[in-house]
Amino acid sequence: MEASFRWVLLTAVAPVAWGANYYVTREFLPADRPLWGAALRALPAGLLLLALRPRRPRGAWWWRTAVLGLLNTAGFFVLLYIASQSLATSVASTVMAASPLAMLLLAWVLTAARPARAHLLGALAGLAGVALMLLTRSEPVSLPGLAASAAAMLVSSLGYVLATRWREGADVLATTGWQLLAGGLVLLPLASVFEGGPAVPAGRELAAFGYVAVVATALAFAAWFTGLRRLPAGTVGLLGLLNPLTGVLLGTVVAGERLGPPQFAGLLLVLAGVALGRPRGGAGGGSGGAPEGVVEGVSEGRPGGGPLGRVAAAGVAGGGGGGAGDGGGSGGRSVRDAPE
């Protein structure tokens, strides 16, 4: 019991770090540098993970890593940065909490497999909760921010569906590190062209970049993958709910954002929807991990198995993309084969 509690505490580091990432990005990082912001998050984190797990991709995983890095790191991190800067922290975290539900619906369309009734009800409840929270706010909601959130969900969902098809022959932590590195390298020339040279961060901005790259990315992914291996999938799915709760708490208590009864009702609907879609038990998570967005369910041949079942068994871990962000899932072997 004591050992299990320690693994729970370690795993909880990830969703709490991802939930706080919305606040840190909005309050301390430059609003007009999304490309540099995403690159400076991805590259140091990728190098740190590869230092922990120095394994190179093999065979098809070279081009797969490039594709997933483009979607789940370059695209997702930039869009998430824009959403975090444009939306109130409580709103951004709640909207991105619905990303596993969006993945469920996209996987249904792409695989033509009908989800379980509970998972479909969870998706509808979660999306209704997001609508309730947005439509009942007295303050105007940024349309570019909402567009960025929707695009982030689409990009990470596509990356996740691809990753569930590319499951074999990769080490989870190493694959995540290479995706971060590939996405960051794609962003460097784009940032130089469209945003000019990098400004040297100092003071609080430097500390914020350190938090985003080291804590909310490298450390959070390592903790999350460890939890996926050590804990039952249902436990990890519930821990993922700490992501939006952390974002809402920081937004309301620290940033002074106001949520009325309708907004709290919307948040509860989102959490209830994700809880309906979480794994119903079984030991160990599914395959390779879903950092800031999805925790996969039980493995093939068991209830909830198969590509759609793994998506339906999603639990919130944040606004990350497949193996590299606040809302998707990376490819790789079963978590039982993942590194400690």
Side-chain angles (χ1 to χ4, degrees):
M1 178 67 72
E2 230 178 275
S4 178
F5 182 68
R6 287 200 300 269
W7 294 123
V8 167
L9 289 180
L10 176 63
T11 308
V13 168
V16 170
W18 289 324
N21 185 57
Y22 302 105
Y23 173 77
V24 172
T25 300
R26 179 177 173 84
E27 296 294 327
F28 301 110
L29 296 184
D32 59 346
R33 294 292 184 101
L35 294 173
W36 277 116
L40 293 177
R41 176 182 183 181
L43 289 171
L47 292 173
L48 283 172
L49 290 183
L50 289 176
L52 292 174
R53 199 66 167 177
R55 293 188 178 184
R56 292 184 299 173
R58 295 181 181 178
W61 271 103
W62 282 107
W63 66 265
R64 290 175 180 176
T65 296
V67 171
L68 294 177
L70 183 63
L71 292 171
N72 297 330
T73 299
F76 182 77
F77 277 12
V78 170
L79 292 166
L80 186 69
Y81 193 100
I82 295 172
S84 298
Q85 291 284 359
S86 305
L87 298 173
T89 298
S90 55
V91 174
S93 58
T94 302
V95 171
M96 289 307 299
S99 59
L101 310 177
M103 291 178 196
L104 172 71
L105 298 178
L106 182 64
W108 184 8
V109 171
L110 294 180
T111 63
R114 186 180 180 86
R117 182 178 301 176
H119 299 141
L120 185 58
L121 289 175
L124 295 175
L127 297 177
V130 170
L132 179 62
M133 187 170 194
L134 295 178
L135 296 177
T136 58
R137 288 180 62 86
S138 57
E139 305 90 351
V141 177
S142 167
L143 292 181
L146 288 180
S149 294
M153 288 187 195
L154 181 61
V155 166
S156 62
S157 297
L158 178 59
Y160 179 73
V161 171
L162 288 176
T164 59
R165 294 175 180 270
W166 301 336
R167 298 173 56 79
E168 300 302 325
D171 177 88
V172 178
L173 202 61
T175 299
T176 300
W178 282 106
Q179 287 182 45
L180 287 164
L181 194 60
L185 290 175
V186 167
L187 289 170
L188 280 182
L190 295 176
S192 299
V193 171
F194 292 105
E195 296 178 356
V200 179
R204 294 195 306 174
E205 188 176 288
L206 180 61
F209 272 120
Y211 172 84
V212 167
V214 177
V215 178
T217 308
L219 175 62
F221 290 164
W224 190 249
F225 290 140
T226 301
L228 283 171
R229 181 177 184 183
R230 297 285 185 174
L231 297 171
T235 300
V236 181
L238 285 178
L239 287 174
L241 298 178
L242 292 172
N243 183 325
L245 290 176
T246 301
V248 170
L249 185 64
L250 288 174
T252 53
V253 176
V254 181
E257 300 166 5
R258 295 184 178 181
L259 294 183
Q263 288 82 52
F264 276 112
L267 172 63
L268 291 176
L269 268 177
V270 171
L271 298 181
V274 173
L276 280 173
R278 74 180 179 86
R280 293 296 185 266
S287 77
E292 286 156 284
V294 176
V295 49
E296 294 187 324
V298 292
S299 59
E300 298 282 359
R302 301 167 72 177
L308 184 58
R310 288 188 296 273
V311 178
V316 171
D326 312 323
S330 73
R333 297 181 297 178
S334 166
V335 167
R336 286 184 292 275
D337 299 324
E340 297 278 343

